[in-house]
Amino acid sequence: MSTSSKGGRFAWYVRRLASMSPPEVAHRIIERGKQFADSRTNWSWDSFKFEGAIAPLPGLRVEECAKNLTELIERDARATLSGDIAFLSAEWPRPAQRDWWRTNLWSLDPASGKHWPGRGQRASKSAYRHAEGFGDVKFVWEINRLQFLMPLAVAAHRDQDQALAADIADVIEGWMDSNPPYDGVNWTNGIEFATRVIVAIFVNTLIADLAPLRFAPRLRQFLAAHVWMLGRYPSLFSSANNHRVAELAALYIAYTCAPTLPGASRRAHEADALEREVLRQFHADGVGAEQSPTYAAYSLEWFALAALCGEASGDRRSASYRTRLRDAARHLRWMMDDAGRTPAICDDDEGRVVALGPKHDYLYPAAICATIARWLNDGESAPPPQAPTLFDAFSSARAPTTIAPKGQRTFAEGGYSVWRIPTAHGDAMLAIDHAPLGFLSIAAHGHADALAVWLHIGGEPVIIDAGTYLYHTHNDARDRFRGTRAHNTLCLDGQNQSRIAGPFNWSQHAKARLRSGAPDFHADHDGYLASHGVKHVRSVHVDGARITIADGIEGALTAPAKWSAGFTFHQTATVETREDGAIVTMPTGARLQIEMHLANAGKIALERVDVSPGFGKLAKAPRLVASGEIVSAGAVLTTIFDII
């Protein structure tokens, strides 16, 4: 049994409590009191209403949305409306009736075929983290984000299609009928409320003059209930990661578009909070504090959306706010290959904001950087050419001339060093992690990957991360994908560098230290200091298309230890082993010749391991692993990669 699954629900609460400061404990007690009171209140949609119209999203160029609506996105959204429902890696059974949104499909878990508790069960009673026999709750949350309505609204506006607009209104009403306020699993998480707020305002911007008359008062109820929940249950203290960003941005945008909403006088407060938060969520060098490129892009999209809507309504963000977003986009650009792909570092649940239904067939960080580059006229943020998305419709500026990253750069505060290496197949992108485990005391989305490396050649991932797989179920797999053995770094005695204390919690954080950056890279981490008395030291030297990675340990080893160090290759790679390494061939013809020199007796083996190419998806990929035993500190392994 995994660490995170031991002891069940009670043990989870104990470990979670251990990560809290006294002020957070007090906050959680108050929060539980609110939940108790709310669970005894007979909420209905009539409990939430306000007078006044919902204005269009400021800055949204409606006609540009239609230009950027791809045929694939529209087709998938229409398929969802017709009952062909697929989100993330899951498919729902085809409903018997066309207007499936008037059924209880909103609570169906597609993995188990069971229904999550909905109408009649208070949200505070929904134990989705510990539910036995269900699939990951992310799947049911994904359909309930209602984002497939956004491209449908664009299509309805483009075609002035009143029937489609009526269907969109019916879907929202059907959702409301199945999900009364504070009932069920769909009212448990602020980031879900925030997403639906943006969907509601976006949809209203496009179909307000096409939808049936009943739509406007119902949408006001929908918006008022979600905004009330966002204000009542903020994600604070150790939960104040991307969830907090989403909540603040959604409140700010809602108050901008509906100034008669209860609480709208706090609009300036939410703007000030966003100004503070952007400096916390991104390090001074632009690296996302959660250490995941996709979560950095997700927070970046929320921050940028709030800023773009604010500017269009006469409320401009500060220079420091804009500079931090620019630097965040620049860091992501450094991590992109020639096609705009970024390594799958740490967690990724494929979350989007202005996003586009059941299939995300675009390179998300690159798409966000494209809009940032246009908005801020920053060529260093501009990614390789990307297909347009609906988020592009918030900026009318021309794309700046791209200034592609060259050479080597160290992001010392955020903890990454990146090399751009010219090769016959395009630039290679090599990155190494010397970052903090993650953000805040629980480092929720971090992985035990200190000193891990990733390599892309041209536009092709070669040395990859194992990915995420699932969040709220299969805890053993959740631990395995976050663990050290799943990453491209050194592992001692099969132990993780950092100690897992729950699916989104770590009780002990390995600390990495950068010793030197360019031209020769040296760093260490202390994740094995307490258990083994040593630090892992990794050096990287790049000479043309040759990369040398040297691993060793420093300190007083407390007992002989078994070690392993592996490199996972993309599932499309062909790997031919040799006595001292392997030759890796990619579909485009790029090749990687590998030599592994073990300091002591050991072995080299090729394994087939699980990787997760998308949330909920599994695939097999080749992994080259060297292993042996050490009895004292010193050199362990030197690996040489020649790109040919």
Side-chain angles (χ1 to χ4, degrees):
M1 183 178 289
S2 69
T3 304
S4 69
S5 60
K6 287 180 180 177
R9 188 175 183 182
F10 176 76
W12 180 88
Y13 279 112
V14 170
R15 291 191 292 267
R16 189 68 178 83
L17 185 65
S19 68
M20 297 181 188
S21 65
E24 180 171 5
V25 172
H27 164 72
R28 299 296 178 186
I29 292 171
I30 294 170
E31 188 176 64
R32 292 297 292 175
K34 292 178 183 178
Q35 291 172 342
F36 178 76
D38 291 346
S39 69
R40 298 171 66 85
T41 302
N42 186 26
W43 300 112
S44 72
W45 288 107
D46 287 335
S47 306
F48 302 95
K49 57 181 67 176
F50 66 97
E51 299 299 323
I54 303 171
L57 262 173
L60 178 61
R61 298 178 302 143
V62 174
E63 299 310 319
E64 198 68 20
C65 284
K67 294 179 185 177
N68 294 349
L69 181 63
T70 68
E71 181 181 349
L72 177 62
I73 291 292
E74 181 177 353
R75 185 194 70 198
D76 289 336
R78 289 184 181 275
T80 301
L81 193 66
S82 299
D84 292 329
I85 305 170
F87 293 90
L88 300 173
S89 62
E91 293 186 6
W92 275 248
R94 186 169 183 84
Q97 61 189 75
R98 179 188 179 277
D99 58 341
W100 56 263
W101 48 86
R102 297 216 175 264
T103 72
N104 64 350
L105 200 66
W106 298 110
S107 63
L108 178 66
D109 169 34
S112 66
K114 299 192 296 186
H115 285 271
W116 290 93
R119 177 188 291 274
Q121 176 166 316
R122 305 277 82 176
S124 56
K125 302 293 185 182
S126 182
Y128 61 86
R129 294 186 184 92
H130 312 282
E132 296 292 336
F134 283 85
D136 199 300
V137 73
K138 275 288 301 174
F139 295 123
V140 73
W141 281 346
E142 195 72 17
I143 186 175
N144 282 274
R145 288 188 169 188
L146 301 176
Q147 289 176 309
F148 67 94
L149 296 180
M150 299 172 95
L152 290 173
V154 174
H157 177 85
R158 178 197 64 203
D159 302 335
Q160 290 295 289
D161 187 338
Q162 290 184 318
L164 180 55
D167 279 343
I168 294 168
D170 281 348
V171 171
I172 292 177
E173 281 197 286
W175 188 92
M176 293 171 71
D177 291 342
S178 295
N179 294 275
Y182 207 66
D183 271 15
V185 74
N186 293 318
W187 287 101
T188 58
N189 199 310
I191 206 166
E192 308 305 318
F193 313 156
T195 303
R196 289 194 290 267
V197 163
I198 301 304
V199 170
I201 298 173
F202 185 98
V203 165
N204 185 68
T205 301
L206 289 148
I207 70 164
D209 59 344
L210 297 170
L213 292 177
R214 70 179 189 278
F215 177 63
R218 291 291 274 164
L219 195 70
R220 288 197 295 271
Q221 291 179 323
F222 181 95
L223 186 61
H226 282 81
V227 165
W228 186 85
M229 287 291 185
L230 284 172
R232 187 154 176 83
Y233 293 107
S235 297
L236 300 177
F237 297 100
S238 60
S239 298
N241 53 10
N242 63 85
H243 287 238
R244 186 62 180 146
V245 178
E247 293 161 6
L248 289 170
L251 285 171
Y252 175 80
I253 292 169
Y255 294 152
T256 298
C257 295
T260 57
L261 263 171
S265 61
R266 290 178 55 84
R267 177 175 180 258
H269 175 273
E270 313 301 350
D272 290 343
L274 283 166
E275 290 275 358
R276 293 190 298 272
E277 206 61 41
V278 75
L279 302 180
R280 298 178 67 247
Q281 300 287 336
F282 296 101
H283 293 284
D285 54 12
V287 176
E290 296 191 85
Q291 302 303 321
S292 160
T294 48
Y295 269 110
Y298 185 63
S299 291
L300 189 57
E301 186 180 7
W302 278 111
F303 279 122
L305 181 63
L308 287 160
C309 291
E311 287 188 6
S313 60
D315 184 24
R316 186 179 175 87
R317 299 277 64 79
S318 70
S320 61
Y321 186 106
R322 293 157 63 93
T323 298
R324 191 57 59 95
L325 295 190
R326 180 204 68 188
D327 291 344
R330 286 181 177 182
H331 169 254
L332 288 174
R333 178 63 183 96
W334 266 88
M335 301 292 285
M336 289 177 200
D337 63 23
D338 286 354
R341 293 183 176 86
T342 52
I345 301 171
C346 295
D347 279 348
D348 176 13
D349 68 354
E350 302 183 34
R352 312 289 187 260
V353 186
V354 183
L356 304 174
K359 297 198 184 297
H360 308 300
D361 63 329
Y362 58 98
L363 302 178
Y364 179 56
I368 301 306
C369 287
T371 297
I372 299 294
R374 290 167 53 226
W375 169 41
L376 299 178
N377 190 30
D378 183 55
E380 292 185 51
S381 303
Q386 301 294 310
T389 69
L390 294 193
F391 188 57
D392 289 335
F394 284 90
S395 176
S396 60
R398 290 178 175 271
T401 301
T402 300
I403 304 173
K406 298 293 182 183
Q408 190 270 348
R409 180 166 174 183
T410 294
F411 297 85
E413 295 92 343
Y416 291 92
S417 289
V418 188
W419 290 258
R420 314 294 299 205
I421 306 168
T423 77
H425 307 280
D427 279 359
M429 189 282 298
L430 172 71
I432 184 167
D433 177 345
H434 45 91
L437 175 65
F439 188 40
L440 303 173
S441 62
I442 60 174
H445 294 297
H447 287 195
D449 59 358
L451 305 189
V453 298
W454 302 268
L455 177 68
H456 291 208
I457 301 176
E460 199 167 35
V462 180
I463 299 177
I464 66 167
D465 197 279
T468 299
Y469 188 40
L470 294 169
Y471 274 174
H472 298 282
T473 188
H474 296 293
N475 282 336
D476 286 339
R478 172 73 174 144
D479 291 355
R480 177 161 49 88
F481 276 90
R482 291 190 296 163
T484 300
R485 284 185 293 179
H487 294 90
N488 305 312
T489 188
L490 183 78
C491 182
L492 293 183
D493 285 331
Q495 297 181 17
N496 292 326
Q497 308 156 341
S498 298
R499 185 172 299 114
I500 295 172
F504 297 93
N505 194 6
W506 299 81
S507 61
Q508 176 261 321
H509 299 198
K511 295 181 178 61
R513 179 182 58 143
L514 177 66
R515 296 182 176 184
S516 64
D520 286 329
F521 170 92
H522 302 277
D524 63 48
H525 75 79
D526 65 359
Y528 294 118
L529 195 58
S531 60
H532 292 77
V534 295
K535 291 184 176 183
H536 171 208
V537 182
R538 176 163 271 188
S539 301
V540 178
H541 177 75
V542 176
D543 182 8
R546 167 168 284 203
I547 302 163
T548 302
I549 299 176
D551 290 300
I553 61 169
E554 289 183 355
L557 189 65
T558 55
K562 294 180 180 179
W563 65 269
S564 64
F567 300 94
T568 301
F569 304 104
H570 194 268
Q571 54 268 32
T572 60
T574 300
V575 182
E576 302 174 37
T577 57
R578 304 186 310 175
E579 184 177 349
D580 63 346
I583 294 179
V584 180
T585 304
M586 302 304 298
T588 59
R591 303 176 76 204
L592 199 63
Q593 183 172 292
I594 305 172
E595 297 178 17
M596 304 182 91
H597 302 282
L598 286 64
N600 299 294
K603 64 179 182 179
I604 300 171
L606 182 65
E607 302 175 353
R608 298 287 291 177
V609 298
D610 286 335
V611 296
S612 179
F615 193 86
K617 298 177 181 177
L618 281 179
K620 289 292 186 181
R623 179 173 171 85
L624 190 65
V625 180
S627 60
E629 186 173 10
I630 49 173
V631 296
S632 62
V636 175
L637 172 70
T638 299
T639 307
I640 300 171
F641 300 95
D642 283 306
I643 302 172
I644 54 178

